[in-house]
Amino acid sequence: MEYRRVKDQESYDVVSQKDIESPVERSLSSTSATSSLSTAGASKGKNSWKLKSIVTLALTLLTSSQAILIVWSKRAGKYEYSVTTANFSVEALKCLLSLIALYRTWNSQGVTEDNRLSTSFDEVSVYPIPAILYMVKNLLQYYIFAYVDAPAYQILKNLNIISTGVLYRIILKKKLSEIQWAAFILLCAGCTTAQLNPSSDHVLQTPIQGWVMAIVMALLSGFAGVYTEAIIKKRPSRNINVQNFWLYIFGMLFNLVAICVQDFDAVMNNGIAVSMVMKYADNIVKVYSTSVAMLLTAVVSVFLFGFHLSLAFFLGSTVVSVSVYLHSVGKPQLQK
Amino acid sequence: MEYRRVKDQESYDVVSQKDIESPVERSLSSTSATSSLSTAGASKGKNSWKLKSIVTLALTLLTSSQAILIVWSKRAGKYEYSVTTANFSVEALKCLLSLIALYRTWNSQGVTEDNRLSTSFDEVSVYPIPAILYMVKNLLQYYIFAYVDAPAYQILKNLNIISTGVLYRIILKKKLSEIQWAAFILLCAGCTTAQLNPSSDHVLQTPIQGWVMAIVMALLSGFAGVYTEAIIKKRPSRNINVQNFWLYIFGMLFNLVAICVQDFDAVMNNGIAVSMVMKYADNIVKVYSTSVAMLLTAVVSVFLFGFHLSLAFFLGSTVVSVSVYLHSVGKPQLQK
């Protein structure tokens, strides 16, 4: 029951809908399949930077608009709808879109090594891993509420930002400059500040078990994200719709397993992050993008739903903005 | 009455005692007169950096311990004491200490052009300016409470950080790098975050008059600080005790005028910032130093007075820490 309550609160609390990132990313990658973007993967230099910017902007706007649309549909709704069913339908739709996009590619370019759906065991063997990681993380989500209440959990979820940065460094072996690390800590502090409310201080009473579980969950989620990036980028020439298709398949499979075990709609919401961002940008860009989307969502909600923004929100937004700036100016010297 | 209430609250609220900086700085410059530091002004390079660090550390620790001692003495006090009288006594004592330090210098080095007390009209004519600026600012403090309540004023005071940075750039024509500007914005956001409490959101209801007054007060305070630095640094070889003496004299004069006009103890608390920091470091270092002191004070108060730290405090502290780091790594390239 406690879990249900939290889920509902999250659905209405637009500002905190960070977990919603994944479906949007998938939708982004699916819809883009019909555009020319999907074939631009090999372009370098300025074009690559431009593509990265467009993809990042698109992800930010889509994440933000998705959160807003969900709240809107719930408020305007004449009849109840199940989040589980809605998410499952979206998943299936996207899997279908991947296939349609693939079909068009086959018609125009013919079936090649890079865009054929069939796959080797070597290639496909890594695809279930992110899905399994998310499943374990979401199973843990049931148990953490024995130690942590909902407002505190909202705050602890921001540990994801730090875990993503650390695992990005360790697993993908990509360097962030010292200033970019500073920016990343600021991003985490800024997002948390923006979400502060009178109940947030509960997090300070979190027992050690709660902290451990929160950290493990952050690591699982960060690992899943970074691992997905590694899979997608390992073979840059591979058609992204094929990659998405296989990730969706395993995601849906483990979701079904989880739903059978428990009433498990959260899995669908987290899902697997497969996206243009993963292929042409990275996990770091994803984290920034979704953080800015959270702020954008809150600002738009002021006009649409009459939300009141707190001083903490403005302070957090300032810190996040400076963090975005520092991330961009603080590029490692070697890359220049 | 409203004003009194605010003053009392400030005295007990250790975390927010940022206005208390000035007496400490003066005390720092006075006590240091008997040490060897006061004659080390001409040293360059590494020594100058070392001196700057020691002075900064001393200011941070003294600011912090002063705030703690005030709360302690008020809590432990067997009898009431007037803040006005206490401050005036401290002022007079420091003026006396400056004279004693000067007397020792005269005995050891003889009276020189740099350490004689007598002064030209040209030199002394600028000394009243900071005192006048602080007086005007403190007079405004009476009127701002018509538009702003106490918790909101506490938040608005952080505008001082930004005004100091801007005026430092304009008046002293010293450059901050882009990263140092970013760090400065973070310092302001971090300090404000650390001071957040459930009443802080009142600041969002501040009418335009309140904002204008707060900005004018921040500019006056920032201008006074930067102007004092300009006075002190204009003649580096001049004995700092002579400079302090003249600044104290005008400070006390305008304080007396203000006290006659109104019951005006706030003037004493703000006073004129004259210090080793001004001579050997700068206004920017002063701002960082007092900000860190504020955090330090709060942490020590946990152990001494059983204060509870909020999540906002930890977030604000994180942002301030990153800001300090960025300020130090982000030095303008030209200075390297």
Side-chain angles (χ1 to χ4, degrees):
Chain A
M1 281 308 285
E2 179 68 0
Y3 178 67
R4 281 247 157 247
R5 197 171 63 74
V6 173
K7 288 253 346 144
D8 283 354
Q9 182 188 321
E10 281 184 30
S11 299
Y12 284 103
D13 189 2
V14 187
V15 184
S16 59
Q17 287 205 336
K18 287 189 67 191
D19 271 359
I20 222 137
E21 66 201 74
S22 312
V24 165
E25 283 160 47
R26 269 174 268 157
S27 133
L28 180 55
S29 64
S30 305
T31 48
S32 65
T34 50
S35 80
S36 62
L37 278 176
S38 60
T39 54
S43 64
K44 300 268 173 194
K46 204 180 172 184
N47 264 353
S48 147
W49 181 86
K50 215 170 168 180
L51 182 64
K52 195 169 167 174
S53 305
I54 293 171
V55 166
T56 309
L57 188 69
L59 176 61
T60 310
L61 292 178
L62 282 173
T63 307
S64 182
S65 59
Q66 184 186 23
I68 290 164
L69 285 173
I70 287 176
V71 175
W72 212 339
S73 73
K74 286 208 168 195
R75 290 210 173 182
K78 297 277 183 302
Y79 52 94
E80 295 280 310
Y81 66 85
S82 149
V83 177
T84 320
T85 319
N87 277 325
F88 196 88
S89 313
V90 170
E91 291 299 295
L93 184 68
K94 283 184 200 157
C95 208
L96 191 69
L97 282 172
S98 290
L99 283 175
I100 293 172
L102 269 177
Y103 184 74
R104 288 168 60 114
T105 311
W106 292 332
N107 275 351
S108 63
Q109 300 171 14
V111 179
T112 67
E113 183 70 14
D114 281 335
N115 70 22
R116 69 193 166 89
L117 201 58
S118 62
T119 176
S120 64
F121 177 77
D122 257 18
E123 188 190 15
V124 88
S125 62
V126 290
Y127 280 66
I129 294 175
I132 295 171
L133 290 171
Y134 277 120
M135 193 186 66
V136 175
K137 186 208 140 192
N138 286 318
L139 282 167
L140 275 177
Q141 209 161 27
Y142 277 91
Y143 300 103
I144 196 170
F145 287 109
Y147 305 105
V148 184
D149 66 2
Y153 179 62
Q154 206 59 49
I155 297 295
L156 288 173
K157 274 204 297 188
N158 290 296
L159 287 172
N160 276 357
I161 296 177
I162 300 295
S163 73
T164 301
V166 171
L167 292 169
Y168 176 85
R169 173 71 191 83
I170 294 173
I171 296 173
L172 297 179
K173 299 201 171 56
K174 286 194 200 167
K175 285 220 166 123
L176 291 176
S177 71
E178 283 169 356
I179 286 174
Q180 286 182 316
W181 275 114
F184 225 60
I185 295 168
L186 290 173
L187 183 68
C188 184
C191 282
T192 313
T193 303
Q195 295 172 342
L196 281 182
N197 64 53
S199 315
S200 303
D201 272 7
H202 294 184
V203 78
L204 300 175
Q205 272 92 54
T206 305
I208 185 79
Q209 298 97 320
W211 278 104
V212 170
M213 287 182 77
I215 291 168
V216 168
M217 282 169 67
L219 286 173
L220 285 169
S221 163
F223 194 75
V226 171
Y227 202 88
T228 305
E229 182 177 343
I231 291 173
I232 298 269
K233 285 201 171 142
K234 199 185 172 190
R235 201 176 148 187
S237 61
R238 187 65 158 139
N239 188 293
I240 194 172
N241 290 302
V242 178
Q243 295 178 314
N244 273 350
F245 175 81
W246 284 110
L247 283 163
Y248 292 155
I249 290 292
F250 286 109
M252 291 171 78
L253 189 73
F254 284 99
N255 282 337
L256 276 175
V257 170
I259 289 168
C260 293
V261 176
Q262 295 186 323
D263 177 21
F264 207 59
D265 49 9
V267 179
M268 303 307 291
N269 242 348
N270 274 302
I272 309 143
V274 188
S275 67
M276 295 290 285
V277 168
M278 288 300 182
K279 198 162 181 96
Y280 303 117
D282 54 41
N283 266 283
I284 303 298
V285 169
K286 184 185 112 185
V287 167
Y288 274 100
S289 188
T290 46
S291 298
V292 172
M294 177 193 78
L295 303 180
L296 207 61
T297 304
V299 172
V300 172
S301 301
V302 171
F303 299 102
L304 292 182
F305 312 120
F307 269 41
H308 287 286
L309 298 180
S310 67
L311 176 61
F313 177 81
F314 289 111
L315 292 170
S317 303
T318 305
V319 173
V320 169
S321 305
V322 173
S323 166
V324 170
Y325 167 76
L326 286 170
H327 180 78
S328 70
V329 300
K331 288 200 178 66
Q333 298 293 314
L334 288 171
Q335 281 182 226
K336 268 185 184 169
Chain B
M1 282 309 284
E2 179 67 358
Y3 178 67
R4 283 245 156 250
R5 197 171 64 73
V6 175
K7 289 250 347 140
D8 283 354
Q9 181 189 319
E10 280 184 30
S11 300
Y12 285 103
D13 187 3
V14 188
V15 183
S16 59
Q17 286 205 337
K18 286 191 68 188
D19 272 359
I20 224 138
E21 67 201 72
S22 312
V24 165
E25 283 160 48
R26 270 174 268 156
S27 131
L28 179 56
S29 63
S30 305
T31 48
S32 65
T34 50
S35 80
S36 62
L37 279 176
S38 61
T39 54
S43 65
K44 302 267 175 194
K46 203 181 174 182
N47 264 353
S48 147
W49 181 85
K50 216 171 169 180
L51 183 65
K52 195 169 165 173
S53 304
I54 293 171
V55 166
T56 308
L57 188 70
L59 176 61
T60 309
L61 292 177
L62 282 173
T63 306
S64 182
S65 59
Q66 185 186 22
I68 290 163
L69 285 173
I70 286 177
V71 175
W72 212 339
S73 73
K74 287 208 167 193
R75 292 209 172 181
K78 296 279 183 299
Y79 53 93
E80 295 279 311
Y81 66 86
S82 148
V83 176
T84 320
T85 319
N87 277 325
F88 196 89
S89 313
V90 169
E91 290 299 295
L93 183 69
K94 283 184 200 157
C95 207
L96 191 69
L97 282 172
S98 289
L99 282 175
I100 292 171
L102 268 178
Y103 185 75
R104 287 168 61 114
T105 311
W106 291 333
N107 274 350
S108 63
Q109 301 172 11
V111 178
T112 68
E113 184 68 15
D114 281 335
N115 70 21
R116 71 194 165 87
L117 201 58
S118 63
T119 176
S120 64
F121 176 76
D122 256 17
E123 188 190 16
V124 89
S125 62
V126 291
Y127 279 66
I129 292 174
I132 294 171
L133 290 171
Y134 276 120
M135 192 184 67
V136 175
K137 186 209 141 189
N138 286 318
L139 282 166
L140 276 178
Q141 209 160 28
Y142 277 91
Y143 299 104
I144 197 169
F145 286 108
Y147 305 105
V148 184
D149 66 3
Y153 179 62
Q154 205 60 48
I155 297 295
L156 287 172
K157 276 205 295 190
N158 290 297
L159 287 172
N160 277 358
I161 295 176
I162 299 295
S163 72
T164 301
V166 172
L167 292 168
Y168 176 85
R169 172 72 191 85
I170 295 173
I171 296 172
L172 298 179
K173 298 201 171 56
K174 285 192 199 167
K175 286 221 166 125
L176 291 175
S177 72
E178 283 170 357
I179 287 173
Q180 286 182 316
W181 275 115
F184 225 61
I185 295 168
L186 291 173
L187 183 68
C188 184
C191 283
T192 313
T193 304
Q195 295 171 342
L196 281 181
N197 64 54
S199 314
S200 303
D201 272 8
H202 294 185
V203 79
L204 299 176
Q205 273 92 53
T206 305
I208 185 78
Q209 297 98 320
W211 279 104
V212 170
M213 287 182 79
I215 291 168
V216 168
M217 283 170 67
L219 286 173
L220 286 169
S221 164
F223 194 75
V226 171
Y227 203 88
T228 305
E229 182 177 342
I231 290 173
I232 298 268
K233 285 201 169 143
K234 198 184 173 188
R235 203 176 147 187
S237 61
R238 188 65 158 138
N239 188 291
I240 195 174
N241 290 303
V242 178
Q243 294 178 315
N244 272 351
F245 176 82
W246 285 109
L247 283 164
Y248 290 154
I249 289 294
F250 286 109
M252 291 170 79
L253 189 73
F254 283 99
N255 282 336
L256 276 176
V257 170
I259 289 168
C260 293
V261 176
Q262 298 186 322
D263 175 23
F264 208 59
D265 50 9
V267 180
M268 303 306 291
N269 240 348
N270 273 301
I272 308 145
V274 189
S275 68
M276 296 288 285
V277 168
M278 288 299 183
K279 200 162 180 95
Y280 303 116
D282 54 40
N283 265 283
I284 303 298
V285 169
K286 185 186 111 186
V287 167
Y288 274 100
S289 187
T290 48
S291 298
V292 172
M294 177 193 78
L295 303 179
L296 207 62
T297 304
V299 172
V300 172
S301 301
V302 170
F303 299 101
L304 292 182
F305 311 121
F307 270 42
H308 286 286
L309 297 180
S310 68
L311 175 61
F313 177 82
F314 290 111
L315 292 170
S317 304
T318 305
V319 173
V320 168
S321 306
V322 173
S323 165
V324 170
Y325 167 76
L326 286 171
H327 180 77
S328 69
V329 299
K331 287 197 180 68
Q333 297 294 314
L334 289 171
Q335 279 180 228
K336 269 187 184 168

